[in-house]
Amino acid sequence: LVMRPKYATLFAALCLPVTCLADTTRMDITLAGSPAGENVYISNPDGSFSSTTTLSIASIHIKSVMTGKMEGKRLVQYRLEQTGQGPGAVITFDHGKLHVKSGATDTDIPLIIKNEPYFGNLHPQFSASVMLAVDFSKKTSQEIKSFCPDAATFLSPKFTPLQEKTISAGKARMFD
């Protein structure tokens, strides 16, 4: 394909913005069939992301906003601001240094995340990596050590593979 310079510039001007678009995922959260909130996750081609979760359960209202950066599958930095019950919290992580501020607590914690997968409580997109770590061929309970960025701690959730269903987007795996 040979293009004249003015057409090449027009082509680049029209197509470049399309290749730089962010990917947005919106998830409605329901409890017992009633709306309870939503999560909006935006991932950008440069690895940066934002995730906002709002929850309202009876008189409890929680808002959690996380922004950060992934390098490949590794979380290298993030900032989380959470409000709701209690004093609220701000957690920042940048290349191995974790800072937590909540109420009277204001502390730095060295943190090494080796190859552990991630698990998300209020930011569910992180749970995809821990579910990929489960050996689906073993139908027994498996405890997977993972880092939970929205709690700023390591957890060991248990997963039991149940079944796999074919859906329009491919396959969906069910866990207990």
Side-chain angles (χ1 to χ4, degrees):
L1 176 65
V2 177
M3 283 191 195
R4 294 189 178 141
K6 70 178 180 180
Y7 294 117
T9 303
L10 178 62
F11 179 77
L14 292 174
C15 293
L16 189 58
V18 173
T19 61
C20 298
L21 293 176
D23 184 23
T24 301
T25 304
R26 183 178 308 276
M27 180 174 71
D28 291 325
I29 301 169
T30 59
L31 296 172
S34 297
E38 75 171 353
N39 172 265
V40 178
Y41 182 79
I42 301 169
S43 62
N44 298 298
D46 67 354
S48 64
F49 67 88
S50 68
S51 178
T52 302
T53 299
T54 54
L55 276 176
S56 292
I57 304 166
S59 64
I60 299 171
H61 303 284
I62 298 170
K63 182 174 183 180
S64 185
V65 178
M66 181 185 290
T67 57
K69 178 131 177 135
M70 301 288 288
E71 288 180 359
K73 294 184 179 182
R74 218 174 107 235
L75 181 62
V76 292
Q77 65 186 41
Y78 74 89
R79 177 180 174 84
L80 175 108
E81 292 185 48
Q82 192 163 302
T83 58
Q85 302 302 102
V90 175
I91 301 169
T92 56
F93 174 74
D94 192 1
H95 295 86
K97 295 180 183 173
L98 184 71
H99 182 83
V100 177
K101 181 170 177 41
S102 177
T105 302
D106 192 352
T107 187
D108 289 313
I109 303 166
L111 178 67
I112 298 172
I113 304 170
K114 295 185 180 181
N115 291 319
E116 289 89 2
Y118 303 107
F119 179 81
N121 282 322
L122 294 174
H123 301 277
Q125 290 75 15
F126 287 104
S127 295
S129 72
V130 74
M131 290 179 178
L132 290 171
V134 174
D135 183 346
F136 204 77
S137 66
K138 297 179 182 175
K139 303 299 184 198
T140 58
S141 179
Q142 299 167 50
E143 189 171 308
I144 310 291
K145 182 180 178 186
S146 56
F147 178 69
C148 181
D150 44 336
T153 191
F154 286 93
L155 302 173
S156 295
K158 293 181 182 180
F159 296 90
T160 303
L162 298 176
Q163 63 182 343
E164 192 171 70
K165 292 184 176 182
T166 301
I167 59 172
S168 61
K171 296 198 182 258
R173 290 185 166 178
M174 308 297 164
F175 298 87
D176 184 22

